[in-house]
Amino acid sequence: MPEKKIKVLVAKPGLDGHDRGAKVIARGLKEAGMEVVYTGLRQTPEQIVRAAIQEDVDVIGLSILSGAHNQLFPDIMDLLAEKGADDILVIAGGIIPEEDHDFLHDIGIKAIFKPGTPIKKIVEYIKQECQR
Amino acid sequence: MKELISRLKEGEERALARAISLVENQRFRGIELMKKIYPGLELPYLVGITGPPGAGKSSLSQEIVKEWLKKNDKVGIIAIDPSSRYSGGALLGDRIRMGEIARNPGVFIRSMATRGVLGGLNPTIFDTVLLMAVAGYEYILIETVGVGQNEIDVVDLADTTLVVTVPEAGDEIQTYKAGLMEIGNIFIVNKADRPGVSKMELVLKQMLKLQKSDGEWTPPVLKTVAVAGKGIDEVVKYCFEHYNYLQKKGLWQEKRRRFLRQHLINLLEEGFRRRFIQPLSRSEDFTSKLDNISNFKDDPYTVAEKYLEKTGIAVDEERGWQER
């Protein structure tokens, strides 16, 4: 029966070519009852934001291992704001050094998950945030 | 809601996305929205594409849409994937293969999960088609996975149905549900650069010969290599030929009527489930009846009948629909 599901976009911005982690997360979220849109590798900020809007997702999960997060994430957040879609919860994971966390939180990334974070923790976080 | 509707009519993507979410997740409000936008609607050309997983439907969809975009500004795509029976969640990955067209400002792609609706397409999928029509999309491609019952139901929705297979499926095609052979208007063997193409082509043509023909339309069997863009213009050409065939034979109206009929039935079933069956199944009386049934004291047939009689509708095969 149709009922409200949490919809998540798992996105890989930039030229990062490794998506095993993203796929593991995507599967984990699906097993937790969420509807997960995965758009594949090498997404531009424009592609990510457009997909998020068309799919009307509740959450965007950015997965990045290339170190380009300080360049790419602000572009994504700016574009979301420009399109009036900054009410979407944005979280991130991958290789993101601690010293960059403050900056990323400032631009609106609500949570950053280290590699190896149990899926359960991410699921619980999302469910809690989406309750509001 | 008025504001949403006017933004929707202007073709604003966010409004369309929000409207679709409304019919998916907030059914009552969604239905209110549908009531307001339905009068005066014009249905777009709907092409359904189905087949087993891995056949290359998404790649093929992308190529077909690229052709359509040469003559049309706006194309809508609905990509349907199955919901997990256990978790209720879904992995919606069709966008991966549509990266190229996703950049086009006139292309709107929405991924939808089947959400476990038994024996029929989720009515919200058809509502989504209607919403896209309001937003000005004149061509809509609906992609479904051919693993459940749903791929056969897409034919209720689509004007032209494309069935896609791959050469490797050669022998297995014998076990394909007969329904898949019946519903296809155009058959496509994708990944035609692989061995086994001719065999598959032959098998399909033979199976089609055994089908009762749909008037004067003989479903063609086409070969494509979607990722290389080969064979696509043939596919598009036959789509238009089928479209013209439907128009010429006056079948267009008939098809429309058929799926609106199905949609009405889906809405009735949905409403009945929601307003009668669901609350009933949560009642104490239901639980106690179930206890008796489990102990083989009461039989479920009589229990069901008694409940149905409460709706004021006579359950009588001979007399059919009757109010008390």
Side-chain angles (χ1 to χ4, degrees):
Chain A
M1 275 269 65
E3 55 175 270
K4 169 70 177 151
K5 304 274 180 194
I6 298 176
K7 203 164 182 190
V8 182
L9 172 65
V10 171
K12 299 249 354 140
L15 301 171
D16 177 3
H18 298 90
D19 65 351
R20 189 189 296 152
K23 285 181 174 167
V24 167
I25 299 286
R27 229 166 284 137
L29 296 179
K30 167 190 163 177
E31 280 157 25
M34 303 185 194
E35 289 176 352
V36 186
V37 178
Y38 176 58
T39 49
L41 295 168
R42 289 177 269 272
Q43 300 292 295
T44 63
E46 288 77 21
Q47 284 176 303
I48 292 171
V49 172
R50 186 129 184 258
I53 288 175
Q54 286 184 351
E55 301 287 353
D56 199 21
V57 300
D58 302 297
V59 185
I60 298 173
L62 298 168
S63 160
I64 194 157
L65 302 162
S66 65
H69 45 276
N70 286 339
Q71 284 74 51
L72 293 166
F73 287 12
D75 287 344
I76 294 169
M77 299 313 288
D78 285 340
L79 208 47
L80 281 170
E82 197 187 297
K83 303 279 175 182
D86 45 3
D87 51 340
I88 300 177
L89 171 69
V90 184
I91 60 178
I95 306 290
I96 302 171
E98 291 281 347
E99 59 252 31
D100 295 337
H101 286 204
D102 282 340
F103 169 66
L104 295 177
H105 285 312
D106 284 341
I107 63 168
I109 311 280
K110 284 270 166 61
I112 300 169
F113 297 99
K114 289 206 288 270
T117 306
I119 308 248
K120 201 159 171 240
K121 190 161 174 229
I122 301 174
V123 167
E124 268 157 29
Y125 177 81
I126 292 176
K127 285 191 172 162
Q128 209 171 299
E129 290 296 309
C130 288
Q131 282 313 2
R132 308 185 185 177
Chain B
M1 190 167 281
K2 247 191 229 160
E3 200 220 315
L4 180 68
I5 295 175
S6 72
R7 282 162 55 206
L8 179 65
K9 288 184 174 168
E10 279 165 33
E12 190 202 290
E13 285 198 354
R14 191 121 213 263
L16 176 57
R18 278 281 145 101
I20 296 171
S21 298
L22 210 59
V23 299
E24 264 198 311
N25 299 320
Q26 295 180 59
R27 208 58 190 134
F28 290 125
R29 284 191 68 206
I31 286 173
E32 287 310 307
L33 171 65
M34 296 309 299
K35 283 182 194 172
K36 295 196 165 72
I37 57 119
Y38 192 88
L41 256 187
E42 267 188 58
L43 276 179
Y45 179 43
L46 299 176
V47 174
I49 182 165
T50 187
K57 292 182 295 297
S58 297
S59 308
L60 201 50
S61 295
Q62 170 156 264
E63 294 303 310
I64 293 170
V65 171
K66 267 156 75 173
E67 283 300 310
W68 284 354
L69 286 168
K70 291 180 181 170
K71 297 206 176 123
N72 296 281
D73 292 328
K74 294 173 77 141
V75 175
I77 299 173
I78 301 174
I80 304 168
D81 277 308
S83 299
S84 159
R85 187 169 282 210
Y86 306 108
S87 70
L91 196 50
L92 309 171
D94 298 311
R95 291 187 83 112
I96 297 175
R97 307 245 186 274
M98 300 199 225
E100 221 182 306
I101 49 169
R103 290 172 205 263
N104 187 303
V107 176
F108 187 97
I109 303 172
R110 181 74 174 219
S111 309
M112 298 182 77
T114 52
R115 295 197 178 176
V117 174
L118 296 170
L121 268 187
N122 193 327
T124 61
I125 293 171
F126 188 56
D127 294 339
T128 300
V129 168
L130 297 177
L131 289 169
M132 284 183 172
V134 175
Y137 291 84
E138 292 178 338
Y139 280 69
I140 298 177
L141 189 68
I142 302 170
E143 193 190 313
T144 69
V145 176
V147 279
Q149 188 59 33
N150 299 91
E151 79 277 11
I152 295 177
D153 296 318
V154 77
V155 77
D156 286 337
L157 211 51
D159 298 310
T160 301
T161 301
L162 273 43
V163 175
V164 189
T165 62
V166 280
E168 296 87 82
D171 293 318
E172 291 149 40
I173 198 167
Q174 310 291 347
T175 63
Y176 274 6
K177 290 180 264 265
L180 215 55
M181 296 308 297
E182 286 173 344
I183 66 165
N185 302 122
I186 297 172
F187 288 81
I188 300 168
V189 183
N190 192 32
K191 306 192 188 183
D193 48 349
R194 294 195 187 171
V197 187
S198 314
K199 181 182 180 189
M200 177 53 114
E201 213 185 332
L202 198 62
V203 167
L204 281 172
K205 285 183 173 163
Q206 282 173 342
M207 288 182 82
L208 284 169
K209 275 215 185 90
L210 298 171
Q211 291 298 320
K212 190 177 72 150
S213 72
D214 161 35
E216 291 157 38
W217 176 263
T218 315
V221 178
L222 306 173
K223 297 193 282 257
T224 59
V225 183
V227 293
K230 289 196 175 143
I232 305 300
D233 21 4
E234 281 275 290
V235 174
V236 172
K237 182 185 112 188
Y238 275 101
C239 276
F240 284 131
E241 277 193 28
H242 189 250
Y243 174 96
N244 290 331
Y245 163 76
L246 291 174
Q247 295 277 30
K248 216 168 55 171
K249 295 282 159 187
L251 294 172
W252 188 252
Q253 290 296 84
E254 201 185 290
K255 270 203 158 228
R256 293 280 137 124
R257 195 182 167 81
R258 224 179 24 223
F259 64 64
L260 286 169
R261 178 181 188 277
Q262 190 56 50
H263 190 49
L264 182 56
I265 290 177
N266 287 342
L267 290 171
L268 287 168
E269 285 178 348
E270 183 193 12
F272 190 65
R273 255 191 307 255
R274 188 172 294 236
R275 294 187 207 200
F276 183 67
I277 301 178
Q278 269 177 357
L280 177 63
S281 67
R282 292 187 202 127
S283 72
E284 271 181 45
D285 190 66
F286 185 89
T287 309
S288 78
K289 290 283 188 315
L290 185 57
D291 288 338
N292 293 345
I293 290 169
S294 304
N295 294 324
F296 292 87
K297 284 202 197 116
D298 285 340
D299 75 81
Y301 312 96
T302 309
V303 170
E305 240 170 49
K306 290 231 155 68
Y307 278 137
L308 285 169
E309 276 166 20
K310 288 195 176 159
T311 65
I313 299 166
V315 182
D316 184 321
E317 274 189 42
E318 280 175 11
R319 287 178 294 171
W321 164 276
Q322 234 186 80
E323 285 182 46
R324 284 251 170 95

